[in-house]
Amino acid sequence: MSSENAELHALELAMTQVNRIVLGKKEQIRLCFACLLAGGHLLIEDVPGVGKTTLAHAIAASSGLSYQRIQFTSDLLPSDILGVSIFERESASFRFHPGPIFAQLILADEINRATPKTQSALLEAMAELQVTGDGETRALPKPFFVIATQNPVDMAGTFALPDSQLDRFLMRLSLGYPDAEAERAMLGSSDRRALLDGLGAQLDAARIQSLRQRVQAVAASPALIDYVQRLLAASRSHPGIRAGLSPRAGLALLAAARAVAFLSARAHALPEDVQQVFVGVAAHRLVPGGESPRSRDELAELVLKSVRVD
Amino acid sequence: MSTATVSKPQAAAAPVAVGSLQLRALAVVLFAAITAHAGWLPWTLLGYLIAIIALRLAWQRYSARVPAQWIRLPLFVLTLALVYSNVGSPVSRDGGVALLIALATLKLVETDSVRDGRMLIAALFFLSMTAFLFSQSALLTLWVAAVAVAAFACLTLLRKYPDARLLAGAARSEVLAAARSTARTAAAALPLVVVAFVFFPRLGQPLWGAPWDPSQGRTGIGDEMRPGMLSKLWQDDTPVFRVSFDGETPAARDLYWRGPVLDRFDGQAWTRGDAFDRFDRIDFRYEPSSVVSYEVLLEATERVWYFPLDLPLRAAAKSRLLMDGQMVTFRPIIAPRNVRMQSATRFSFDANARPAEMAFALRLPAASNPRARALAGGWREQGMNDAQIIDAALTLFNQSFSYTLEPPPLAPDRSVDEFLFDTRIGYCEHFSSAFTFLMRAAGVPARVVTGYLGGYRNASGNYLVVRNSDAHAWSEVWIAGRGWIRVDPTSAVAPERIDRGSIYDALPEAALWYQNSWLTPFMDRFDVVSRWWRQRVVDFDAQRQRNLLGSFGVEDTELKDLVLLLIISGSAALAFGIWWSLRGLGGHSRDPLLVAWRHFGRQLERRGIARGHHEGPIDYSRRAARQLPSAAGEILQLGRDFAQLRYNPEHAADEEAQRALIRRLRRFRASPRPAARRR
């Protein structure tokens, strides 16, 4: 088995493993892995108790990356994430104690419970892939993958992430309640968290880096780029949208579509790939407006439906 | 309330300045519109206007501002003066149009805003249409159509404000884009043009040529002949008429096209007499075997003569035949017309003339040309009869005269004497004038007949083109018992002019550079097109319209039927045009692979599996395959292959595979095969 095939095989095993933990969410799990392969960060948004954290744990365990979980609370400070410099008497100097962010995979749980100041500390680190403190710049490990979860913003005691910050996440997914069959299966078996301990690391940092490179090599034809551009243009002229998609959103769409195409074992991306990732990639970047604002997901669906595929 | 509180209206926003590319485009359209008038506009005026355009463009390089008032005002006065001196009063067709052209050119000089440019274009549309007042040829129509397209393209350019891109050398692509979009729109308008042409209610008489200006005569044969008038025509190869014979074309020596008959001589010029009696009262007999039928397509000569073959049996439509054999129309011919005629080439004409008329044919001014008079009188005194006198004159010409295209000028009052005794070199008009004079002086009734001789056989179209250069003058003498007999004194000097039917055979140096060259076949073809254009398009009048509609079963069309037809078919043509020109919008590209893919979608649509416009190829083919299991394999394969070729850049360049897939997509039929065949 060649190393390329071995990588793919490991990827499939990892996905199968996660599917065994989080039941009936095959599509979302595929998108999570697409997000990982596209090199973007993932935001999972849903009501408590549908398995957000379990999903994040399962992905972390299967990916074989160094892993840190940060539980966001309202009194969490930036230094709790980034790390602090502490004066050491022996050497008479400050010594940096890295925070939990210096890991390859971060699970930022309930990110919207923290104050905006703390949120932006994380989000800036995500954008720049480095942490600057005390006049020193420290690079974050590679790969660096953040899975953040958040409760819907109408829950009490939360700080909504600003629109500009949402842009840092490649995808925003919501899990939704499991279907009846999956729910029965889950209720009938042991605690999902206990199963997590038995998960083996199927991937590792090197393999993920290599897979990412292969994803980037997936071809996007002029026709596909044309389609993506028309989606962006349509989002900007849609009457229900106050602020449409940015060029960065377009790049994100292409990257995610490439990853999905790669997961389908194709060397070129199709409009169908773009459509699969569109709501996940685009919805949280749209700013609803107009008389009677619709939800972002609805708007994204409308934009998608309004653009012709050639 | 005092007026002080009324604030002045806000100054309008500054006009959008015209860019240099736009100015150049305007100049090109203006130039093209002016050249549509090149056929009639005096060269000096034409050159002057073109020079102004060129100077305006040069000025633009020097300064973005328009030339100052003190330059523009004298320019205006100078231009008006030139128009007046070259063309005449603006209260006439020529003067009015020339004034309009001059003003449009001056408008370009002061154009510095987009708004000015739009106004200029609007004027140019009108200006190019006025060219049809002067000519309706196929070439001009094509040219004016091109000018209209260019004007629309220029409007497109004017719509875009001059921006950095235009300055940065993207001019070429901007112009190309404008031309492309305009050409597409023009093509979309073609059905509407055809519909309007066929159904638009026609006037009995076309509008063009209407402001006919009698003071601005065209060159050609008229009702007067003085030395040097016809010889000026030999290099004018404007067609006067075209003839197609029903049967064989008569021999070249019989192709005398009879025009004005001139029987009054005042010592200087031959003019028309008062022979207004009716032809049918004249004694006229002809050999039935020599009768020929033919159709004449006459250009707008702005004169009243038809030119029938010598001699017509009866008057053609809209004309009458005078007793001296001229066929004249009731009104000047200001639009091309098609006339059927019949003539006999062997005839006896007015054999029993009345003495009073003969006396008229003998009159000469008392004291003119004494030497010629003496010569002719001498012949009569020698006891020669009429036939011998004619022979004597022809022999004289034959022995000591020669034929030329450039005869020396003659003193107006002694022209016959000078020609006969001094210069002895001349053109047909000199010979016929001198000959007729001699005959009259010798007591033989005679008159001058002008018209055309011969004509050019267009081998491509099997018809004869008679041009101004074929103008000819000959004589008729009356001999008792035989009537009027045609005597062509030119034949005694240059028989080839008569026998070959072409001036170019008589005098090879007369041929213009493009005649008798490799160009001739092309010129012939072009003339065929011109004739077709004349007959089918320019001549499409109310009667022809009725005939055309009648052939489709629409009988007795009245005005309101026509209007109804025009509205219905016009709307259809307009709808088609709109559909056609919008087809390319909204991203519907004309990539053949995409077109084939849509065809495939339409096939499936017949089975109720319409492709959602946002549905990708794989999704669609999967859904279609589920709903149409009998063709599932083919549908899935086509969907996969299309997605591959369209979205995989590695395969997109494979033209062979593209063509193959296009064929397969086109061949796909979703309709179920008949059950019998499946078995």
Side-chain angles (χ1 to χ4, degrees):
Chain A
M1 198 190 274
S2 74
S3 72
E4 292 197 346
N5 280 342
E7 280 166 16
L8 279 180
H9 186 65
L11 183 63
E12 266 164 35
L13 281 179
M15 284 168 67
T16 317
Q17 236 175 233
V18 176
N19 271 314
R20 274 210 304 274
I21 304 292
V22 181
L23 299 175
K25 296 289 167 204
K26 215 170 168 189
E27 203 49 47
Q28 282 87 342
I29 290 164
R30 203 171 125 86
L31 287 177
C32 290
F33 274 90
C35 195
L36 171 66
L37 295 183
H41 306 294
L42 177 65
L43 177 65
I44 305 177
E45 181 181 289
D46 220 319
V47 291
V50 290
K52 298 190 295 285
T53 312
T54 311
L55 173 62
H57 270 299
I59 292 173
S62 310
S63 67
L65 298 174
S66 68
Y67 166 68
Q68 284 286 350
R69 177 183 169 179
I70 309 169
Q71 176 64 50
F72 278 53
T73 56
S74 56
D75 56 358
L76 192 75
L77 295 172
S79 58
D80 295 337
I81 298 174
L82 305 178
V84 284
S85 293
I86 294 170
F87 186 75
E88 284 191 344
R89 196 162 297 179
E90 301 91 76
S91 60
S93 63
F94 283 95
R95 184 158 166 269
F96 182 70
H97 292 259
I101 201 165
F102 289 91
Q104 288 164 327
L105 197 157
I106 311 291
L107 172 59
D109 224 351
E110 300 190 272
I111 187 172
N112 57 342
R113 296 182 73 89
T115 55
K117 189 178 177 184
T118 311
Q119 285 173 358
S120 48
L122 171 72
L123 294 164
E124 277 166 32
M126 280 163 56
E128 282 151 31
L129 292 178
Q130 61 189 23
V131 171
T132 306
D134 303 334
E136 217 178 313
T137 299
R138 295 176 181 86
L140 292 173
K142 276 184 186 175
F144 180 69
F145 182 45
V146 174
I147 303 177
T149 71
Q150 78 171 351
N151 294 327
V153 288
D154 50 354
M155 296 285 175
T158 58
F159 298 92
L161 286 173
D163 290 330
S164 60
Q165 306 280 36
L166 278 175
D167 201 28
R168 310 270 185 234
F169 291 99
L170 178 71
M171 279 191 211
R172 188 200 59 165
L173 300 174
S174 57
L175 288 176
Y177 296 111
D179 58 26
E181 193 189 337
E183 199 159 22
R184 272 198 295 275
M186 195 195 76
L187 293 172
S189 66
S190 55
D191 181 15
R192 313 315 293 175
R193 306 233 173 181
L195 286 174
L196 282 173
D197 298 336
L199 288 182
Q202 302 296 341
L203 293 162
D204 55 41
R207 278 182 168 172
I208 288 177
Q209 286 294 70
S210 156
L211 285 170
R212 280 186 174 183
Q213 273 167 15
R214 288 170 66 185
V215 164
Q216 278 171 12
V218 169
S221 70
L224 185 88
I225 287 174
D226 192 45
Y227 175 59
V228 169
Q229 197 280 326
R230 277 185 281 128
L231 282 170
L232 300 181
S235 79
R236 290 165 198 159
S237 61
H238 194 281
I241 297 173
R242 189 150 56 81
L245 296 175
S246 63
R248 190 198 294 170
L251 289 173
L253 259 179
L254 272 177
R258 283 191 166 105
V260 168
F262 181 76
L263 287 177
S264 306
R266 243 183 294 107
H268 56 275
L270 291 180
E272 280 89 340
D273 301 325
V274 177
Q275 290 173 350
Q276 272 186 40
V277 301
F278 186 74
V279 176
V281 173
H284 63 286
R285 300 171 203 253
L286 295 173
V287 183
E291 293 283 305
S292 49
R294 296 163 185 270
S295 81
R296 295 172 189 236
D297 286 12
E298 258 180 327
L299 284 172
E301 289 283 356
L302 284 177
V303 168
L304 196 58
K305 289 257 155 60
S306 73
V307 175
R308 186 171 36 76
V309 175
D310 269 335
Chain B
M1 192 165 71
S2 76
T3 52
T5 59
V6 180
S7 63
K8 265 175 74 176
Q10 285 279 310
V16 182
V18 76
S20 81
L21 173 75
Q22 293 163 328
L23 193 80
R24 262 178 286 159
L26 279 170
V28 167
V29 179
L30 176 64
F31 175 75
I34 291 179
T35 48
H37 292 267
W40 67 273
L41 211 59
W43 283 100
T44 41
L45 192 59
L46 193 66
Y48 169 76
L49 294 175
I50 290 171
I52 291 209
I53 297 176
L55 283 175
R56 175 68 180 96
L57 288 182
W59 180 275
Q60 179 77 8
R61 284 174 172 273
Y62 160 74
S63 159
R65 295 172 56 191
V66 296
Q69 187 97 40
W70 64 266
I71 299 178
R72 279 184 284 148
L73 202 61
L75 197 64
F76 176 72
V77 174
L78 174 66
T79 308
L80 284 198
L82 266 175
V83 167
Y84 193 83
S85 66
N86 273 292
V87 190
S89 157
V91 193
S92 68
R93 176 189 65 180
D94 295 11
V97 174
L99 182 69
L100 194 62
I101 295 171
L103 290 182
T105 311
L106 290 175
K107 181 72 194 168
L108 181 74
V109 172
E110 63 163 23
T111 290
D112 64 346
S113 71
V114 165
R115 184 176 159 278
D116 282 350
R118 291 205 187 105
M119 279 173 56
L120 180 57
I121 289 289
L124 289 184
F125 276 123
F126 182 75
L127 197 61
S128 47
M129 290 302 132
T130 55
F132 290 125
L133 295 178
F134 299 87
S135 164
Q136 300 92 41
S137 74
L139 207 59
L140 179 76
T141 311
L142 272 181
W143 183 247
V144 170
V147 172
V149 170
F152 275 118
C154 190
L155 275 183
T156 317
L157 278 183
L158 283 173
R159 196 190 57 197
K160 296 182 177 168
Y161 295 150
D163 57 13
R165 270 185 309 143
L166 295 191
L167 301 174
R172 195 185 153 82
S173 66
E174 285 289 322
V175 171
L176 276 181
R180 249 200 308 276
S181 81
T182 315
R184 205 172 45 219
T185 316
L190 271 183
L192 189 61
V193 170
V194 172
V195 163
F197 174 75
V198 173
F199 294 120
F200 197 84
R202 299 288 161 146
L203 302 170
Q205 180 88 340
L207 270 176
W208 45 69
W212 174 63
D213 188 349
S215 67
Q216 301 275 327
R218 288 196 174 203
T219 57
I221 285 182
D223 54 2
E224 190 189 59
M225 184 181 87
R226 32 179 98 240
M229 269 180 63
L230 289 190
S231 49
K232 267 193 295 192
L233 288 176
W234 72 263
Q235 48 189 346
D236 176 6
D237 67 341
T238 323
V240 183
F241 55 94
R242 296 177 176 85
V243 188
S244 41
F245 289 96
D246 289 358
E248 285 284 299
T249 306
R253 80 182 81 84
D254 285 333
L255 291 176
Y256 279 87
W257 307 99
R258 192 180 185 91
V261 177
L262 313 174
D263 54 7
R264 178 183 287 166
F265 188 60
D266 62 2
Q268 298 187 8
W270 289 89
T271 52
R272 277 178 80 190
D274 319 298
F276 286 116
D277 207 348
R278 285 171 52 207
F279 183 75
D280 52 15
R281 301 236 296 273
I282 302 297
D283 176 26
F284 177 53
R285 267 167 296 192
Y286 56 88
E287 266 180 47
S289 65
S290 72
V291 171
V292 284
S293 302
Y294 51 97
E295 191 169 358
V296 176
L297 179 63
L298 196 70
E299 299 288 320
T301 55
E302 302 187 357
R303 308 286 162 96
V304 293
W305 285 278
Y306 283 161
F307 296 95
L309 199 60
D310 212 16
L311 198 70
L313 301 192
R314 65 191 73 84
K318 294 183 189 168
S319 72
R320 63 212 163 106
L321 201 52
L322 305 183
M323 60 176 285
D324 55 8
Q326 319 181 47
M327 204 188 277
V328 295
T329 56
F330 300 110
R331 260 179 239 142
I333 301 160
I334 55 175
R337 55 171 81 166
N338 226 353
V339 192
R340 283 208 65 83
M341 294 183 192
Q342 264 193 320
S343 295
T345 53
R346 307 263 172 273
F347 53 86
S348 118
F349 175 34
D350 208 7
N352 307 304
R354 291 155 294 259
E357 283 159 21
M358 288 310 107
F360 195 84
L362 287 168
R363 281 194 307 191
L364 286 175
S368 75
N369 300 299
R371 293 164 76 190
R373 197 186 282 269
L375 174 70
W379 289 336
R380 181 59 82 186
E381 278 164 24
Q382 288 168 24
M384 291 184 179
N385 64 16
D386 289 357
Q388 285 166 329
I389 289 173
I390 295 169
D391 272 350
L394 292 179
T395 310
L396 173 71
F397 285 155
N398 181 257
Q399 285 171 353
S400 46
F401 283 72
S402 51
Y403 187 58
T404 180
L405 282 174
E406 277 149 6
L410 302 172
D413 52 339
R414 294 181 285 114
S415 61
V416 176
D417 271 4
E418 246 183 48
F419 171 66
L420 282 176
F421 300 100
D422 301 335
T423 63
R424 302 203 165 194
I425 179 167
Y427 197 56
C428 56
E429 55 196 321
H430 301 87
F431 290 103
S432 66
S433 169
F435 180 80
T436 311
F437 186 92
L438 285 174
M439 290 305 111
R440 286 189 174 190
V444 183
R447 62 194 180 195
V448 171
V449 184
T450 58
Y452 296 91
L453 175 62
Y456 171 75
R457 161 158 298 282
N458 187 319
S460 309
N462 193 27
Y463 58 87
L464 219 54
V465 191
V466 179
R467 306 170 188 277
N468 263 332
S469 51
D470 295 318
H472 192 56
W474 59 94
S475 302
E476 275 182 340
V477 294
W478 188 84
I479 294 177
R482 292 180 59 191
W484 290 103
I485 298 172
R486 182 171 66 221
V487 178
D488 190 345
T490 311
S491 69
V493 187
E496 44 312 334
R497 167 78 181 94
I498 285 82
D499 289 342
R500 309 282 291 275
S502 166
I503 178 122
Y504 307 118
D505 290 317
L507 295 165
E509 71 268 25
L512 300 179
W513 63 270
Y514 55 82
Q515 281 154 342
N516 299 321
S517 73
W518 56 272
L519 269 174
T520 315
F522 297 102
M523 302 294 289
D524 283 2
R525 299 250 160 74
F526 180 70
D527 197 73
V528 171
V529 174
S530 301
R531 177 164 169 269
W532 178 89
W533 178 260
R534 275 268 177 268
Q535 283 181 317
R536 302 289 153 199
V537 180
V538 180
D539 241 13
F540 188 80
D541 56 7
Q543 187 56 46
R544 279 167 184 253
Q545 185 177 42
R546 193 167 302 194
N547 294 346
L548 177 72
L549 295 179
S551 67
F552 286 100
V554 187
E555 303 286 350
D556 294 330
T557 42
E558 286 175 22
L559 183 63
K560 71 174 193 315
D561 301 334
L562 271 181
V563 170
L564 198 66
L565 272 172
L566 181 64
I567 290 174
I568 293 171
S569 46
S571 313
L574 193 63
F576 171 80
I578 291 173
W579 170 79
W580 198 81
S581 49
L582 292 186
R583 200 168 56 117
L585 296 179
H588 276 274
S589 89
R590 246 156 280 166
D591 182 341
L593 182 60
L594 261 187
V595 173
W597 174 248
R598 288 196 204 106
H599 170 83
F600 169 73
R602 276 194 299 277
Q603 286 295 323
L604 285 172
E605 204 174 328
R606 288 191 187 166
R607 301 295 305 271
I609 315 166
R611 186 171 78 93
H613 76 297
H614 62 279
E615 201 166 17
I618 298 288
D619 285 352
Y620 179 51
S621 57
R622 281 193 186 140
R623 186 165 65 86
R626 269 200 307 278
Q627 293 184 33
L628 206 64
S630 62
E634 191 184 2
I635 293 173
L636 284 175
Q637 190 61 46
L638 285 172
R640 265 200 303 275
D641 290 354
F642 172 76
Q644 179 87 326
L645 280 183
R646 179 131 180 92
Y647 292 106
N648 189 343
E650 277 175 33
H651 291 252
D654 187 349
E655 291 182 12
E656 187 51 47
Q658 278 217 10
R659 274 196 292 276
L661 179 59
I662 288 171
R663 274 198 297 278
R664 279 164 58 210
L665 285 169
R666 289 230 168 253
R667 228 180 290 141
F668 178 79
R669 294 282 176 274
S671 46
R673 296 198 183 92
R677 224 193 257 172
R678 205 182 291 164
R679 246 178 258 132

